[in-house]
Amino acid sequence: MNAHWQARRSEIPLNRPGDRRTPWQRDRARVLHSAAFRRLQSKTQIMNVGENDFYRTRLTHSLEAAQIGSSLINQLQHVCDEQMQPLLPDLNLMETLCLAHDIGHPPFGHGGETALNFKMLKSGGFEGNGQTFRIVGKLEAYHPEHGMDLTRRSLLGLLKYPVLMPPLPAPDDFDRPGSLGRWKPAKALFACDADLLDWVLEPLSDEDRARFQQVETLDVSPWQRSLHKSLDASLMELADDIAYGVHDLEDAVVTGTLNETQWHNHLDKVLEQLNPELAELMQKLGDQLFGTEHHLRKNAIGALVNIFVTKVRFEQVLPDASEPLVRYNACLPQSERRLLDSLKAVVFEHVINQPEIQQLRYRSQTMLGDLFTAFHTEPLRLLPQNTRARWRTAYEQEGQQGADRILCDYIAGMTDDYAERMYRNLFVV
């Protein structure tokens, strides 16, 4: 791989004697030993942390995604042609991306993300993947200016949405409904991190960059979706989708949140759209999934993961691009993609969208909104000393928007438990 993809923004050579690690091994170590990664152990995946010891957290989800990512690379090493072999990410690089992909998510999952985005509409918005990029590139304490100071290829692989946040409306611009659902974030990076994005995309030609950063506008302005991601990011996202669709499904089945009747009502319609061989296999796995013998359920979960891992392939998504890392993506055939999307949908409908979970989400969103308001109103009184100093510097140099970004960094970095304690300290008598 070309040297520019192994470069670090600091340009500081590693001078530790006898260190023979590859750049990707160093990146993986920096993620694993970071405070942001450790905090994932107390951040919500779907069920709130502490509701049940069985439920996966952001940490266990990330570990499972990393294992699946490694499996995808092993599979591609055996099935892709010789031309594509040199493009495959190193196993350490793949694990780096999967381990780091969720470290920007705030407390309380996507509900917390929506709440912070609403509070930040006047100051550049908030989005979990954008915060991940900000943490690894600027905030984590490996370097005074460049965060973890990861390689350029690692940063490229973490860009699920390689575009900047569009101009956002003030909340008064819309008739706000009775929930925060309307304020889900635009999928993009923060404008204040444009310099880091420019550095990551520097090796691309102007033509490749324009193709790579194409967006489509969604139904409600100003929300947008970027159309492309790099090869490594497509593998990371596929591993993430499989971990979500299969392993979070296991949580739902084992805890009784999803029953067999609901499963069949959802999946039987999907089976008609799959190829006959896959449909027959899914019927057998469904019986095992809801059987009484635990080892058969585990076998079904492993078999579901295997369905997707063994079908991964490369496709040219930007055939005119000269840079192979943006020309190709990892994809699934139509039947397998439809099946994976259906597994994610059943988890959403029968777990995430249930009133009990949505009530917890609303409570969590209210807590984060109140915390933001308190810190915004009394920053020099309520913020910890180190965050207070960062807030003061940002306010003096960038004004209120820059200062609000520091508040957002602080709240987004909280674990669920820490946010709960802080809320009680401020608001509960």
Side-chain angles (χ1 to χ4, degrees):
M1 181 52 59
N2 293 336
H4 52 245
W5 291 117
Q6 296 186 23
R8 301 182 191 276
R9 200 176 184 198
S10 68
E11 299 181 347
I12 298 174
L14 193 67
N15 294 320
R16 292 174 186 156
D19 189 349
R20 300 183 185 278
R21 292 177 299 168
T22 67
W24 324 122
Q25 289 172 322
R26 295 191 189 108
D27 282 359
R28 181 178 180 273
R30 292 179 184 192
V31 171
L32 273 173
H33 295 291
S34 67
F37 181 73
R38 289 194 299 276
R39 292 190 185 106
L40 295 178
Q41 66 186 306
S42 189
K43 287 194 176 186
T44 293
Q45 170 65 7
I46 292 181
M47 306 295 186
N48 277 26
V49 173
E51 290 290 315
N52 187 305
D53 287 343
F54 181 83
Y55 293 149
R56 287 165 166 88
T57 64
R58 286 277 173 191
L59 178 63
T60 57
H61 163 76
S62 298
L63 293 170
E64 288 172 334
Q67 187 275 321
I68 293 170
S70 296
S71 296
L72 291 170
I73 300 302
N74 286 329
Q75 176 70 16
L76 287 167
Q77 285 173 339
H78 286 89
V79 300
C80 74
D81 57 40
E82 292 184 2
Q83 177 188 357
M84 294 300 298
Q85 289 283 344
L87 291 181
L88 284 174
D90 178 90
L91 285 174
N92 291 285
L93 171 57
M94 191 71 253
E95 289 193 5
T96 297
L97 302 182
C98 293
L99 292 171
H101 81 281
D102 266 354
I103 61 175
H105 274 275
F108 311 120
H110 289 290
E113 181 184 40
T114 300
L116 282 181
N117 182 57
F118 176 73
K119 301 301 288 189
M120 286 291 290
L121 285 174
K122 295 181 179 179
S123 299
F126 178 83
E127 198 275 331
N129 295 282
Q131 189 70 9
T132 293
F133 189 65
R134 183 168 169 79
I135 288 171
V136 298
K138 291 189 174 181
L139 299 182
E140 192 64 46
Y142 283 86
H143 188 278
E145 297 175 358
H146 305 309
M148 295 186 194
D149 198 25
L150 301 181
T151 59
R152 182 183 266 119
R153 181 165 178 176
S154 289
L155 292 173
L156 179 70
L158 288 170
L159 288 176
K160 288 181 69 172
Y161 315 112
V163 296
L164 296 177
M165 196 76 72
L168 299 172
D172 295 340
D173 287 359
F174 291 127
D175 294 325
R176 186 183 172 200
S179 75
L180 287 171
R182 189 181 181 93
W183 306 104
K184 292 179 180 178
K187 301 299 186 181
L189 307 176
F190 310 135
C192 58
D193 298 323
D195 58 325
L196 180 57
L197 177 62
D198 287 340
W199 182 82
V200 174
L201 301 184
E202 190 177 289
L204 300 183
S205 67
D206 291 343
E207 295 80 7
D208 278 2
R209 179 165 178 171
R211 297 183 186 103
F212 186 55
Q213 293 188 289
Q214 293 176 85
V215 299
E216 62 177 352
T217 301
L218 303 183
D219 292 339
V220 181
S221 179
W223 286 276
Q224 65 181 26
R225 177 168 53 220
S226 56
L227 297 176
H228 302 293
K229 57 183 64 68
S230 70
L231 169 67
D232 300 344
S234 71
L235 282 161
M236 175 267 287
E237 186 173 52
L238 180 56
D240 183 26
D241 281 352
I242 296 171
Y244 168 52
V246 177
H247 291 302
D248 289 346
L249 170 68
E250 181 183 13
D251 277 4
V253 172
V254 172
T255 57
T257 311
L258 175 69
N259 63 45
E260 191 168 6
T261 300
Q262 293 168 328
W263 167 260
H264 282 295
N265 287 341
H266 176 87
L267 197 73
D268 288 352
K269 302 171 186 176
V270 177
L271 294 180
E272 301 171 0
Q273 306 172 44
L274 306 180
N275 65 61
E277 182 181 352
L278 183 56
E280 182 180 357
L281 175 59
M282 283 304 302
Q283 287 179 322
K284 294 178 181 178
L285 295 181
D287 293 338
Q288 293 182 9
L289 198 60
F290 289 92
T292 57
E293 298 185 67
H294 296 317
H295 72 278
L296 291 179
R297 182 184 299 123
K298 266 300 178 191
N299 177 71
I301 292 299
L304 283 171
V305 173
N306 184 69
I307 286 171
F308 305 118
V309 168
T310 56
K311 292 297 184 179
V312 64
R313 63 188 185 187
F314 285 130
E315 289 184 5
Q316 291 195 64
V317 292
L318 286 174
D320 295 329
S322 58
E323 172 53 62
L325 287 180
V326 301
R327 186 190 313 153
Y328 296 97
N329 272 188
C331 304
L332 292 175
Q334 187 176 38
S335 275
E336 283 73 16
R337 184 73 249 182
R338 184 175 288 120
L339 174 61
L340 181 54
D341 289 343
S342 75
L343 297 183
K344 293 168 61 181
V346 77
V347 170
F348 177 82
E349 182 59 33
H350 294 289
V351 181
I352 299 173
N353 210 31
Q354 290 305 298
E356 296 83 0
I357 298 298
Q358 289 303 316
Q359 288 163 12
L360 287 172
R361 177 172 286 193
Y362 180 81
R363 172 179 175 271
S364 303
Q365 289 174 320
T366 301
M367 283 196 296
L368 286 194
D370 288 347
L371 285 175
F372 188 97
T373 299
F375 292 132
H376 178 84
T377 304
E378 298 275 5
L380 298 180
R381 181 182 177 193
L382 300 178
L383 288 173
Q385 291 288 351
N386 59 339
T387 307
R388 186 184 304 177
R390 291 182 62 226
W391 182 93
R392 192 192 302 271
T393 300
Y395 187 81
E396 291 172 354
Q397 295 179 356
E398 306 168 47
Q400 189 63 58
Q401 287 196 5
D404 282 350
R405 182 60 62 191
I406 301 303
L407 297 183
C408 192
D409 289 340
Y410 174 56
I411 296 173
M414 294 179 178
T415 62
D416 294 16
D417 292 339
Y418 187 88
E420 290 255 16
R421 288 197 302 273
M422 181 64 70
Y423 182 84
R424 287 198 301 269
N425 289 342
L426 293 177
F427 298 106
V428 179
V429 178

